[in-house]
Amino acid sequence: MPAEHHNTSVETRLRGIALSPGVAIGRPCFYVRQGSQPDTQPAADSGHELRRLRDALQELVRQRELLAEDTAAVLGAEHAGIFETHCLMLTDETLRMQLAAMVTDQGCSAQDAVRQVLGRYQAQLSAADSAYLRQRSDDIEEIRQALLGLLERTVDCRYCREATACSIGHCELGNDHILIGREIAASLPIETDAHTTGFVVERAGPDCHAVILARALRRPVVGNIVNLPDAIPARAHLLVDGDRGEVIINPTAETLAGYRHISRNDSEVLQTSSPVAGLRVMANISLSSDVGEALAAGAEGVGLYRTEMELLVAGRQLSEDEQATRYSEVVRAMGGRPVCIRLLDLHNDKAAGWLPPVGDDPGAPGRDGHLLLGRPGLLRAQARALTRASVHGPVHVIYPMIASVDQFLALRRLFEESTSDLPASGLQHGVLFEVPAACLAATQIMEAADFGCIGTNDLIQYLFAVDRVSGDNAAHAHFENSNVLWELITDLARAAARSGKPMAICGELAGDPGMTCRIMRCGINAISTSPAHVAGVRKAAKDACAGPADR
Ligand code: PEP
Ligand code: MG
């Protein structure tokens, strides 16, 4: 059971990766496998082990066929293919022969045979370069776990603070629950009942089947939340924000009020809208696969592509080719509209475990602008991938966490040196204004850069000493009640105007329709926000700016 180390009355935010959009509220429900037998069984006689193996394979095929039928009925035939593939794997003659040989020739127990043979396949596939093959490795892992579950008579179950063990398909209490698990099997979103409103998971990517099915079922998923289940106290109330990739533990009434307009039904359909005069509204995306949502929302470009999310989801550095494929996909899909792609922004709350640790001090070497200067290999591969993608359409490179013009120029030089052998591409280089020092040097920076963009999330954090990760909810009060931020935004817009270069805004503030008018009054005429907020921002720009009640 998870440790009760949190004060349950305090709001806490855990930052993860947005895998499936929407917002869900509920109590935590923990997903576990419970066993009645020890992990390793000594082999009985081989005839007995072969029968156990055959029965487990047969039973699992039967279960997956039923899942395929259920899935087809709920979501359509194309989604049922996931479980049909599992059936094909389970009935594969070569696999069955290899499993049987482990039992008869090596004297293994049925479960050791499953562990070893499927483990070998899984290891080979998970090391493959192809994303498709890596995905198949998840399938193998899922059937391996399911077979072991049958052989060891373990059962998947769920528990919360009130009920000690419900079955996966049935919540005893009938309350809305958020399912918490280290990993989620593809079968889980189908098998859980309608009371499971969202998922929080440690290890999952946007392409894994469970996430694809959760998206189809309109259930939000946040991934990359570490140390589960201990990170979530059993007595907490949870809000899962699948748009922002955030889990809010014990949200305050004020935080909940901010989500009032987002009901489950609202998030089910992405509203599309047409451009409005005087304001360019673009979309923030995290993964190349999000570009469909940007298009569906009718965005006039991608205003912020958070590329570090691609690496965090992959769990490793991506090669130049892999990055070029992803960036090109987005640029091509946007069909000539601008695509602003941010250089890797891997700081504390988005730290990648496979990079050396990054200091806590905002000024410490190793953070953001510094991070890339200190790791030219990372920048080089990304610079080349971006340059290659730019042959497909306009690419604007955003430099995050820049604190001075010198830092920007040093990074830009490294970028250009890394790509000097590639065909010239018309790339633009811009600065994300999110460090107060950069805002104070805006005139100088805008002389050196091709464009600017304001990142209000970090800017508010560093301006007001508000920790965006712990989420004490003071941030909203700051931008509501303080003129400092608005004066700064106005100054940045003026610096951009003097240099004759564009300035956009892309933090969370930009997606709040209540702020649209105020942002425009500061002299900003380009906003980038989550695809889900594009329509709302445009409506606010059209309706409210003319009315007396605007803020
Ligand atoms: C910001 O800081 O406002 C921003 C856009 O970047 P991120 O939220 O990814 O730090
Ligand atoms: Mg930022």
Side-chain angles (χ1 to χ4, degrees), residues 15 304 306 308 342 345 347 350 432 434 455-458 468 506-507:
R15 184 102 188 261
L304 174 66
R306 292 176 159 106
E308 63 280 358
R342 182 168 71 184
D345 184 24
H347 62 276
K350 289 180 284 184
L432 190 58
E434 54 183 345
T456 54
N457 302 335
D458 279 310
R468 67 185 275 188
C506 69

Side-chain angles (χ1 to χ4, degrees), residues 60-61 64-65 83-92:
L60 192 56
V61 170
R64 297 285 136 161
E65 281 171 354
F83 303 111
E84 285 157 5
T85 306
H86 291 182
C87 290
L88 285 176
M89 288 174 171
L90 289 162
T91 49
D92 181 78

Side-chain angles (χ1 to χ4, degrees), residues 62 84 94 99 129 165 167 199 267-268 270-271 274 277 290 306 343 346 349 380 401 413 450 475 532 547:
R62 191 189 69 80
E84 285 157 5
T94 312
L99 287 168
D129 276 343
S167 74
F199 297 88
S267 64
E268 286 185 3
L270 186 64
Q271 239 184 303
S274 311
D290 296 339
R306 292 176 159 106
L343 295 178
L346 291 158
D349 62 325
R380 184 180 154 77
M401 297 299 280
R413 211 165 26 248
D450 301 322

Side-chain angles (χ1 to χ4, degrees), residues 16 22 59 88 90 247 277 294 365 414 420 458 477 520:
E59 173 57 16
L88 285 176
L90 289 162
V247 178
L414 255 175
S420 55
D458 279 310
M520 291 173 76

Side-chain angles (χ1 to χ4, degrees), residues 460-474:
I460 289 169
Q461 157 161 275
Y462 295 122
L463 208 49
F464 298 107
V466 177
D467 183 348
R468 67 185 275 188
V469 178
S470 77
D472 63 4
N473 212 40

